[in-house]
Amino acid sequence: MTASVRFGRIAGIPVGASWSALLIAALIAWSLAGSLLPAEAPGLAPAAYWLAGLAGAGLFLGSLLAHEVGHALVARRAGLRVRGITLWLLGGVAQLEDEPASPGDELRVAIVGPAVSLALGVGFGLATAALAVLGAPAVAVAVTGWLALGNGALALFNLLPAAPLDGGRVLRGLLWRRHGSRLRASVTATTAGVWVGGGLVAYGLVGAFTGWGFGTLWTALVGWFLVTAARQERDHAVLRHDLGGLRADQVMTPAPAAAPAWFTVDAFLRNYVHPWQAAVLPLRGFDGQAAGVVTAAALESVPPERRHIVRAGDVAIPMAELLLVAPDQPVADLAPRLAAGRTVAAVVAGGQLLGLITPADLARTTAGGQARAVA
């Protein structure tokens, strides 16, 4: 869900879209222009249907964006850091770098998205009625009517009590408030997400191959995403709980000496990664200044035939994209920020790099804690 295209900022929040969002826009436009609009407003030229279909697709993507902006603004008001908003193949996502601090914050952030979609559905419904009364072209009435139904369906679907859908977040907030345990609430909500997602996969496959009901391969794809995302969220909740009150300096791998960013990948692997058995290394430029961090996985992903051409700095994580943390920062707060797409956190104090933290460090810490508990 990385943004390939940047649209700018809304209320200071970066907004973008992945290229997969173009696919959903094209599918909506094709569906409207190819079947719905000709049935609702016959007799027009094909170009008119396509223009109306493209307008409907654009307005629906705008509705998805409004849904996510609602989440982002309420989250920021609750003191949560918002990394950005990205539209992608299956809708949109507001990328938060923090977890809500209380059940109330959880509920407010979760419910605002469906509320925005429902309000848009009502608004487009009223616009449809007004256009019909005013005698507007039938194609315009059909587009606004479809947008009313689409936003209403979006609100209802997101209210399903299954994480990571908004309804699952509402369920988690209510259970958290009732039991007082964030972990217990998260496991219940994500387990519901796995079951609901599995049901959608089965329903979609049955519908696609037998013609029964309304299920399609698209339904199965949405279900598969729910299952995958719910499992990941459940694992993250358990990880956050297991990390407990540990600090960044208790989890970090001490930073080795910075290696030259200008070395080719082949030379870097041979002279630094393999001899030092290092999973991640800081880099320095010709001027001696920090030049980012490179992982062994990124280096080894370079095709062997290009390793004598590509430099280590070319596949490094730039300093501007590193997650900088203080030694005493709780790791439980750090975990979701690493999971949000950052691959390395740099522990810094007094301008000096003390150590590095990767998701592997967090997993190793929790595994060690579990082993000690068993022993």
Side-chain angles (χ1 to χ4, degrees):
M1 288 178 283
T2 302
S4 305
V5 180
R6 298 288 183 181
F7 299 142
R9 293 175 178 268
I10 296 177
I13 300 169
V15 175
S18 73
W19 291 111
S20 63
L22 295 177
L23 176 60
I24 187 63
L27 286 173
I28 291 173
W30 175 75
S31 177
L32 290 173
S35 58
L36 177 65
L37 297 181
E40 295 292 329
L44 300 179
Y49 294 130
W50 275 104
L51 285 175
L54 289 171
L59 287 170
F60 187 71
L61 290 183
S63 299
L64 290 175
L65 179 58
H67 178 112
E68 299 304 333
V69 168
H71 284 310
L73 292 178
V74 174
R76 193 169 64 178
R77 183 174 298 178
L80 308 181
R81 286 165 290 195
V82 181
R83 188 176 171 196
I85 295 171
T86 302
L87 300 179
W88 67 301
L89 180 64
L90 297 181
V93 60
Q95 298 166 310
L96 308 183
E97 293 193 341
D98 304 294
E99 292 279 357
S102 68
D105 287 344
E106 178 86 77
L107 290 169
R108 283 187 288 272
V109 173
I111 202 65
V112 67
V116 170
S117 294
L118 185 59
L120 287 171
V122 172
F124 279 118
L126 293 175
T128 301
L131 289 173
V133 170
L134 295 173
V139 68
V141 176
V143 169
T144 55
W146 180 86
L147 287 167
L149 291 175
N151 277 281
L154 180 64
L156 293 176
F157 176 74
N158 272 280
L159 284 174
L160 288 175
L165 296 176
D166 296 330
R169 309 261 187 238
V170 171
L171 175 62
R172 184 171 75 169
L174 293 173
L175 292 175
W176 183 6
R177 175 177 288 173
R178 178 179 178 183
H179 301 304
S181 171
R182 183 205 296 261
L183 176 62
R184 181 178 174 184
S186 296
V187 170
T188 301
T190 52
T191 300
V194 171
W195 281 98
V196 171
L200 288 175
V201 170
Y203 180 67
L205 292 178
V206 169
F209 292 111
T210 68
W212 179 82
F214 298 98
T216 64
L217 289 178
W218 187 261
T219 308
L221 176 62
V222 172
W224 173 81
F225 164 74
L226 280 180
V227 171
T228 303
R231 286 175 174 167
Q232 290 176 343
E233 189 167 309
R234 182 176 59 195
D235 292 344
H236 164 65
V238 173
L239 173 64
R240 179 185 177 91
H241 179 266
D242 289 344
L243 289 172
L246 293 176
R247 304 188 312 269
D249 59 357
Q250 295 175 304
V251 174
M252 71 182 188
T253 298
W262 60 88
F263 269 37
T264 64
V265 169
D266 187 43
F268 200 96
L269 288 169
R270 186 173 60 251
N271 290 282
Y272 292 94
V273 174
H274 294 159
W276 294 2
Q277 293 295 298
V280 56
L281 285 166
L283 298 178
R284 70 176 187 276
F286 282 114
D287 58 0
Q289 299 299 310
V293 167
V294 69
T295 64
L299 293 166
E300 291 169 351
S301 68
V302 177
E305 65 273 13
R306 291 185 50 80
R307 291 180 180 177
H308 67 288
I309 301 173
V310 179
R311 300 184 184 277
D314 296 334
V315 294
I317 303 171
M319 290 299 297
E321 296 182 12
L322 284 176
L323 183 57
L324 303 181
V325 299
D328 60 352
Q329 180 164 336
V331 182
D333 295 337
L334 177 61
R337 302 175 70 186
L338 284 177
R342 312 260 189 176
T343 56
V344 176
V347 183
V348 179
Q352 298 296 315
L353 177 65
L354 303 182
L356 301 168
I357 302 175
T358 67
D361 292 314
L362 301 183
R364 183 175 61 252
T365 299
T366 56
Q370 291 167 357
R372 289 191 296 274
V374 171

